[in-house]
Amino acid sequence: MEKLRNHVRVWKGQSDRVEDLSRSQYSLVSNGDLTADALQLWLRLPDEIKYDPALDQFKQHYEKEHVIIDQTPLKSISSPTKRLPSVHSAPHLNENLYEPKEEVAVVNRIRPEAKEQKQERILQNEDQPSKKKTKMAQAGYTVKITLLVGVWMFFTVVFLMHNEKSEITRHSSVAPGQIKDYILNTEQAKLSIYLKLTGPFISEQYQKKLDDRVKSNMTAMRVWLEKWHLKKDRNDSNGADDIAHSLASSPWTIVLANENQMDFQESETRSVVLQLDTIYTNRTKYAVRMSSNSNVTVPFTMSYTVDPLDPTAGVIYALVLLCALYVLIVFEIINRTMAALLLSTASLAVLSMAGERPTLTELVTWIDAETLLLLFSMMLIVAIMTETGVFDYIAVLTFKFAKGRIWPLITSLCAITSVVSLLLDNVTTVLFMTPVTIRLCEVMDLDPISVLMAMVIFCNLGGTATPVGDPPNVIIASNKVVVQSGVNFTNFSLHMSLGILLVCIQTYIHLRFIYRDTTKLKLTESREVLDLRHQISIWRRAADSLQHLSRDELVVRERLERKVKKLTARLNALVMETRRRAYPKDYYETMLADMKQKHKIRNKPLLVKCAVTLAFVVLTFFLHVIPEFNRVSLGWTALLGALLLLMLADREDLEPVLHRIEWSTLLFFAALFVLMEALAKLGLIDYIGGMTEALILRVDESDRLAVALVLMVWVSGITSAFVDNVPLTTMMIRVVTSLGTNPTLNLPMTPLIWALSFGVCLGGNGTLIGASSNVVCAGVAEQHGYRFSFMQFFKIGFPVMLGHLVVATFYLLICHCVFQWH
């Protein structure tokens, strides 16, 4: 009906003119239709939308029925110098002002007699978007929706047909000289069983270090799978007279702890896959058999799963899922958060088909709550800090230091970001520096996406240098085996900082070469066109945030949609008229004076409260290097700081602050954690580690360290570029500790740890989803109106990342193969 009404208006010559923004044109409903609920929806809109003349009817009705609203924002709208609400300026950046006369002058260059006809044609085209779509586009859309619905039907049917996995757990003990049998209630020719035992065992890494002669003299527990062919059918098949013959699998030997210390010994969990491939008859039974040469009774807890997923098939499924994720993200078929949700759910369906469907409780444990808590808390702190104007002020200082020149500005931003990332984790640093970078790029007419990519690359480099700068380093430095190998905050920072300094030099030279033509860093559209695009994005975001559940929401949404159409009409007219970009500034001094006047600290008391909170967070982060104070994790520290700031700010309404949280980014991380854990369950990470270990074993012992360092840097680096480095580090640290404790390889542990840290941290610069900071930066930039594409980041980040790995490889080889620093 609305489309029909728009057509009738156009036919009657009643289409709205672009330059006329009077309130009468937006009076779509009477004051009687403005209910209390509609006014509440209006109150929740951003200030730059709420106080627009298009919504004056809501303001007047609210003033009449309730109280007079603060007129401060209205002055900036009604005054000759008008506030420009732009999506690339967050609430703390909305002090960019413009003179409406310039815009009117541009629009007025269009012939008056043709202006109305152009706008009518634009409105007609907007009301009939289907005419713009080609048949190929329609066919592509149909295919896309069909495939997505097909994936949805696949995992929905699988979930309906498969139960959650049932892991059977039993408690028992083995007495001296006893053979304990556990009968398996299964009837199949080929039996494979995933067995997990928890008891007074030594660790797997420690057992690998033991020589065969030493192990033969130690007490141990032997476990094997056996098939019995019975003489006759009996329910109780434990009698030896009933067994005609048997077939056993290879025994699994577990070395026990010292007999004198076995009582109240800390338990250790060990696992193995036992299998038998025989011909089944109706008088065949399977049993798990256990014995011990210990002089005391050995207690244990056993859990098992029958027919676990075949590793080869699991790796294939994992690769298909990973490729599907990248196809959806690289070609931008659907939103990346939606792609992660879809593929993580599909991975759970694949596990369900293999009998490994996790329970909801187990699924929650797959999500790295520590990372999500850190992200959420720091987003909350940044959201409140933006109201003080401190980011604008930092932007002015940086602009003054760079004297308005492009490369000094980019160099300053990268240097500040990398230094701050040494102290804070790089996710927090990105949250702070992204608004500043965007603000400076807007002032200097630079493309924010190119500068943001350089900034986040250096942020990842700075975070690599310390144990607290990057989430993968936190995982590595807190590992029990790593700590036992002698790695601490001091030697970690010293070793990594020297290498990162060389990598930073390589990265800066590489970026200067890529952007040797500075025109690539500049915008290609006029400021007026970009301002209108971002203004449309703000109004569109506000309209999309409203649901279609009530009449009040429809009233407000209709008003917002009307504004979007008028802004779009103005944009199209402006694009047709202005094809070349005009720089708004002539001199550096004039721009600097204008910035100093407009961008000042707006709320000094709140800034002091934010500074106190931030000082607490940073100080507590540093206290993590002291074991006595390392009792509160990074995520909990950030949450305590966020709670402190909320109390000091004394907000009556938290909704505006919570609306600035990047919920889609948090959801993307949660889905990605589930997907990565599912890929690990399917055997992808173990396959990568196994291949790495096999390649090292093929090399002569004198060259194994060099080969291990090269393989660890490049395997973890390339993999980290395509798999988020947080879950990847969790898996690869097991590979490193296994290689470092393997007596056959005889490799030192610490060089492998440095190689892993270089690989997973530097590899994150390769793609958009390679590192958590990349995803956070893209999410914040998208909220401000600048959207990263996967290929945009890949074209810059991947070649730079390859340079990272080359420099890091030579650094490690020189340190550990030539000078033997370890």
Side-chain angles (χ1 to χ4, degrees), residues 714-762:
W714 284 89
V715 170
S716 60
I718 298 298
T719 308
S720 178
F722 297 95
V723 178
D724 185 77
N725 57 15
V726 172
L728 175 67
T729 306
T730 305
M731 301 302 162
M732 289 300 294
I733 191 65
R734 304 174 191 172
V735 178
V736 168
T737 54
S738 176
L739 295 175
T741 56
N742 192 330
T744 306
L745 297 178
N746 193 25
L747 293 174
M749 175 76 75
T750 51
L752 298 178
I753 295 172
W754 312 135
L756 174 64
S757 180
F758 275 118
V760 295
C761 294
L762 300 181

Side-chain angles (χ1 to χ4, degrees), residues 32 108 161 268 362 395 397 513 598 608-609 654 662-663:
N108 285 338
M161 296 179 61
E268 186 77 20
E362 182 183 2
L397 294 180
F513 176 78
K598 294 176 182 177
V608 172
K609 298 173 183 178
L654 292 181
E662 285 292 322
W663 297 108

Side-chain angles (χ1 to χ4, degrees), residues 393-595:
Y393 185 72
I394 295 175
V396 173
L397 294 180
T398 308
F399 181 78
K400 181 180 179 180
F401 176 79
K403 298 186 181 301
R405 292 173 294 178
I406 293 178
W407 271 110
L409 176 69
I410 298 176
T411 304
S412 301
L413 285 172
C414 293
I416 293 172
T417 303
S418 57
V419 171
V420 173
S421 187
L422 293 172
L423 312 177
L424 300 176
D425 68 283
N426 53 12
V427 173
T428 303
T429 305
V430 163
L431 287 171
F432 281 116
M433 293 302 299
T434 299
V436 176
T437 304
I438 291 176
R439 181 71 217 134
L440 286 169
C441 291
E442 291 171 353
V443 169
M444 296 186 63
D445 292 330
L446 298 177
D447 181 15
I449 293 179
S450 300
V451 181
L452 284 174
M453 286 191 291
M455 184 270 293
V456 78
I457 286 174
F458 272 90
C459 180
N460 291 333
L461 295 182
T464 308
T466 62
V468 298
D470 206 353
N473 282 354
V474 176
I475 297 172
I476 294 172
S478 60
N479 184 269
K480 184 189 301 183
V481 180
V482 173
V483 174
Q484 292 174 352
S485 66
V487 175
N488 53 43
F489 186 91
T490 303
N491 58 22
F492 190 104
S493 301
L494 177 62
H495 194 289
M496 296 297 296
S497 296
L498 294 178
I500 288 300
L501 182 61
L502 298 176
V503 174
C504 285
I505 296 173
Q506 167 264 323
T507 304
Y508 186 76
I509 296 174
H510 200 153
L511 290 175
R512 287 296 296 259
F513 176 78
I514 292 176
Y515 294 113
R516 58 190 181 277
D517 182 7
T518 56
T519 57
K520 296 180 180 179
L521 294 168
K522 297 180 181 180
L523 297 173
T524 57
E525 291 184 310
S526 68
R527 176 180 293 274
E528 292 83 2
V529 170
L530 290 173
D531 287 340
L532 278 175
R533 290 190 191 279
H534 298 150
Q535 195 174 1
I536 290 171
S537 180
I538 271 192
W539 284 81
R540 170 57 58 194
R541 183 186 294 271
D544 292 342
S545 66
L546 299 177
Q547 302 176 1
H548 302 273
L549 301 179
S550 66
R551 182 176 180 275
D552 298 315
E553 289 174 326
L554 291 176
V555 168
V556 179
R557 184 182 178 88
E558 187 179 10
R559 198 71 64 93
L560 298 177
E561 292 284 358
R562 183 74 168 178
K563 177 71 174 184
V564 170
K565 288 185 178 181
K566 287 187 172 296
L567 291 176
T568 304
R570 177 180 295 173
L571 172 65
N572 287 321
L574 197 59
V575 169
M576 293 174 62
E577 180 65 22
T578 57
R579 293 296 183 182
R580 292 190 176 185
R581 189 175 72 85
Y583 290 92
K585 68 179 183 66
D586 297 326
Y587 303 99
Y588 158 72
E589 291 79 6
T590 305
M591 179 58 66
L592 180 60
D594 186 55
M595 290 180 64

Side-chain angles (χ1 to χ4, degrees), residues 798-817:
F798 198 80
V800 172
M801 182 270 292
L802 294 179
H804 294 345
L805 300 184
V806 171
V807 174
T809 301
F810 279 106
Y811 170 73
L812 290 171
L813 291 177
I814 292 173
C815 288
H816 298 287
C817 294

Side-chain angles (χ1 to χ4, degrees), residues 177-394:
Q178 179 189 17
I179 297 181
K180 180 64 65 80
D181 298 331
Y182 179 78
I183 308 302
L184 298 174
N185 186 19
T186 181
E187 297 181 357
Q188 54 192 55
K190 181 179 180 180
L191 178 64
S192 177
I193 178 173
Y194 174 74
L195 190 63
K196 186 163 60 175
L197 295 179
T198 302
F201 315 132
I202 66 173
S203 64
E204 185 175 3
Q205 291 81 6
Y206 183 67
Q207 181 172 335
K208 287 182 178 179
K209 291 182 178 180
L210 298 176
D211 186 77
D212 292 337
R213 182 179 58 83
V214 176
K215 283 192 291 186
S216 62
N217 297 326
M218 298 182 68
T219 57
M221 181 175 174
R222 296 174 67 252
V223 184
W224 67 97
L225 181 63
E226 193 167 301
K227 187 216 70 169
W228 296 338
H229 181 68
L230 308 179
K231 293 180 180 179
K232 58 181 179 180
D233 292 329
R234 286 184 55 180
N235 293 329
D236 183 11
S237 56
N238 288 331
D241 294 338
D242 295 334
I243 301 176
H245 63 269
S246 64
L247 181 67
S249 65
S250 300
W252 175 37
T253 302
I254 313 174
V255 178
L256 301 174
N258 194 327
E259 291 182 353
N260 299 327
Q261 302 175 355
M262 191 172 295
D263 197 17
F264 296 107
Q265 170 73 23
E266 183 178 354
S267 63
E268 186 77 20
T269 300
R270 306 286 296 275
S271 61
V272 73
V273 175
L274 301 175
Q275 58 184 9
L276 277 176
D277 190 2
T278 62
I279 300 176
Y280 174 76
T281 65
N282 59 357
R283 290 195 299 272
T284 298
K285 284 189 177 294
Y286 292 96
V288 177
R289 312 197 76 187
M290 290 154 280
S291 66
S292 170
N293 61 356
S294 175
N295 295 324
V296 298
T297 300
V298 180
F300 64 89
T301 299
M302 180 184 72
S303 60
Y304 68 93
T305 303
V306 178
D307 290 336
L309 179 67
D310 180 60
T312 304
V315 171
I316 295 175
Y317 295 150
L319 290 175
V320 170
L321 290 169
L322 195 59
C323 292
L325 175 66
Y326 275 89
V327 167
L328 293 177
I329 294 179
V330 171
F331 296 100
E332 300 181 353
I333 298 175
I334 56 177
N335 179 272
R336 65 171 178 268
T337 302
M338 188 62 197
L341 287 172
L342 193 68
L343 268 300
S344 60
T345 310
S347 66
L348 297 179
V350 174
L351 289 176
S352 301
M353 294 173 61
E356 293 289 330
R357 177 183 171 183
T359 62
L360 183 60
T361 304
E362 182 183 2
L363 191 63
V364 172
T365 62
W366 292 4
I367 300 175
D368 191 346
E370 180 69 25
T371 301
L372 295 184
L373 186 62
L374 176 64
L375 283 172
F376 169 78
S377 303
M378 297 310 300
M379 285 178 180
L380 204 58
I381 294 175
V382 171
I384 298 178
M385 287 188 66
T386 56
E387 301 175 6
T388 66
V390 65
F391 295 111
D392 287 341
Y393 185 72
I394 295 175

Side-chain angles (χ1 to χ4, degrees), residues 584-653:
K585 68 179 183 66
D586 297 326
Y587 303 99
Y588 158 72
E589 291 79 6
T590 305
M591 179 58 66
L592 180 60
D594 186 55
M595 290 180 64
K596 288 182 177 179
Q597 181 181 1
K598 294 176 182 177
H599 309 304
K600 300 177 180 179
I601 301 298
R602 297 190 294 271
N603 193 335
K604 292 183 179 180
L606 182 60
L607 179 60
V608 172
K609 298 173 183 178
C610 293
V612 172
T613 301
L614 196 59
F616 162 77
V617 173
V618 174
L619 179 62
T620 311
F621 281 173
F622 273 102
L623 290 179
H624 281 78
V625 301
I626 305 175
E628 290 76 10
F629 294 96
N630 191 10
R631 295 185 175 91
V632 181
S633 63
L634 297 178
W636 269 105
T637 300
L639 180 61
L640 293 175
L643 292 175
L644 175 62
L645 185 56
L646 287 174
M647 288 187 297
L648 295 177
D650 192 21
R651 290 299 180 86
E652 295 182 0
D653 187 8

